[in-house]
């Protein structure tokens, strides 16, 4: 009887151990599945910009007014980020512009006799608008001298912003001779060797400003990778579901929901031009120019439209397999519009990037998992949208 009892007890303990193991494993498995799903959608932990203070935000209407006046209307957020780093928006000189080229001019007297001086806080209390008038002009000049192309041209913007602190001409001339891009190490070298004793400036000024510039923090947090294409091509990969831009607007939708066409073109443009053009930029341009139709998605003409805007070549080839193969073998990219099948339940743009072991490699901005696989050209063509407009469903994109 004792032996039977102990045998039953052992069996019961074994069952309890199994139940306990299952209880422990279930949440672990759920966690792993969730992580894999997030990886497939390309979500990353984005770094949000530090918020602007209320004191800075109160100047927004006036900063916007002067940015428009001086023809840099797209740089309001940058000007406010600069103000935040310079003074947190406080009077008497929120842009810390008194020592700059425009600091002496007084809007109240409409001349240089308004009590301003070329010294720290040399703009009198109550003359905050004078500071903004002067600071925005300084920013405009810095952007021009640093060859900034757009609000997303972060490398050149950093050069411009550091010039706002050091004084532009000498700094920008020097940095162009040292690679043309801001780094903290180069900025420190400039401060140590080129700035006078007692006035070394702030070498990390650009970094301080970028903390408050939402475009910089958003795009810099994106998970961007390089894929192998043919002829040594390094393909820049973006995922439309990246946390850096997933929830940003694409016309009346979002990049994550509907931005596959512009995101696919961002992949092509960045790869072929060597310039960082993100889904944020391509979706913004496409949305503003009417390429998104509510309830339907992107017009198919968004592909040649973006190609023209960013000065890359686009050739519509219908469903011509031979042209697809020839293009991929010569280091070109091919945008494909897919119908329901392996790539989508509705409609979806992808990029064909090369040929590997007789199969097609892709950059699918909707799935990192599908991007890792190779695909039969027959399957891709068979599942493409044969009723595509604008010469699709395949477009060759090249320099």
């Amino acid at each position: 009887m004792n032996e039977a009892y102990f045998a039953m007890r052992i069996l019961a303990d074994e069952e309890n151990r199994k139940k306990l193991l299952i209880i422990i494993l279930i949440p672990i498995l759920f966690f792993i599945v969730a992580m894999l799903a997030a990886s497939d959608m390309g979500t990353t932990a984005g770094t949000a910009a530090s918020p602007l203070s209320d004191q800075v935000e109160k100047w927004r209407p006036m900063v916007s007014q002067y940015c428009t006046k001086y023809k840099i209307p797209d740089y309001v957020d940058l000007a406010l980020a600069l103000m935040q780093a310079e003074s947190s928006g406080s009077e008497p000189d929120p842009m810390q512009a008194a020592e700059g080229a425009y600091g002496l001019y007084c809007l109240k007297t409409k001349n240089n006799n308004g009590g301003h001086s070329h010294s720290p806080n040399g703009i009198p209390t109550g003359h905050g608008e004078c500071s903004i008038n002067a600071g925005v002009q300084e920013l405009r000049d810095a952007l021009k001298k640093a060859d900034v192309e757009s609000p997303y041209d972060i490398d050149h913007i950093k050069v411009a912003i550091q010039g706002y602190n050091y004084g532009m001409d000498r700094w920008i001339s020097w940095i162009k001779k040292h690679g043309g891009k801001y780094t903290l190490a180069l900025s420190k070298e400039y401060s140590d060797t080129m700035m006078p004793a007692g006035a070394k400036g702030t070498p990390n000024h650009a970094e301080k400003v970028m903390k408050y510039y939402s475009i910089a923090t958003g795009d810099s947090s994106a998970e961007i990778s390089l894929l192998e294409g043919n002829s040594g091509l390094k393909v820049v990969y973006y995922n439309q579901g990246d946390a850096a831009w997933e929830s940003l607007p694409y016309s009346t939708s979002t990049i994550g929901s509907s931005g596959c066409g512009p995101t696919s073109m961002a992949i092509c443009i960045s790869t072929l031009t060597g310039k960082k053009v993100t889904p944020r930029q391509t979706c913004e341009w496409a949305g503003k120019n009417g390429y998104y139709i509510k309830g339907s998605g992107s017009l198919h003409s968004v592909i040649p439209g973006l190609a023209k805007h960013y000065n890359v070549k686009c050739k519509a080839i219908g469903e011509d397999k031979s042209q697809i193969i020839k293009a991929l073998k010569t280091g070109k990219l091919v945008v494909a519009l897919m119908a329901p099948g392996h790539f989508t339940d509705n409609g979806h743009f992808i990029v064909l990037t090369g040929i590997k072991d007789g199969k097609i490699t892709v950059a699918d901005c909707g799935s990192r998992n599908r991007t890792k696989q190779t695909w039969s050209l027959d399957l891709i063509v068979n599942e493409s949208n044969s009723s595509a407009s604008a010469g699709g469903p395949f477009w060759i994109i090249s320099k």
Side-chain angles (χ1 to χ4, degrees), residues 29 50 60 96 99 166 176 178 191 201 214 220 338 398:
L29 289 172
S50 298
R60 181 180 287 274
Q96 293 294 292
E99 297 172 81
Y166 282 152
K176 284 183 177 180
H178 291 76
S191 175
S214 59
S220 66
M338 306 306 295
S398 60

Side-chain angles (χ1 to χ4, degrees), residues 174-190:
W174 185 90
I175 197 68
K176 284 183 177 180
K177 294 175 182 176
H178 291 76
K181 291 185 179 181
Y182 167 92
T183 67
L184 183 57
L186 282 173
S187 186
K188 286 179 177 178
E189 180 183 342
Y190 180 86

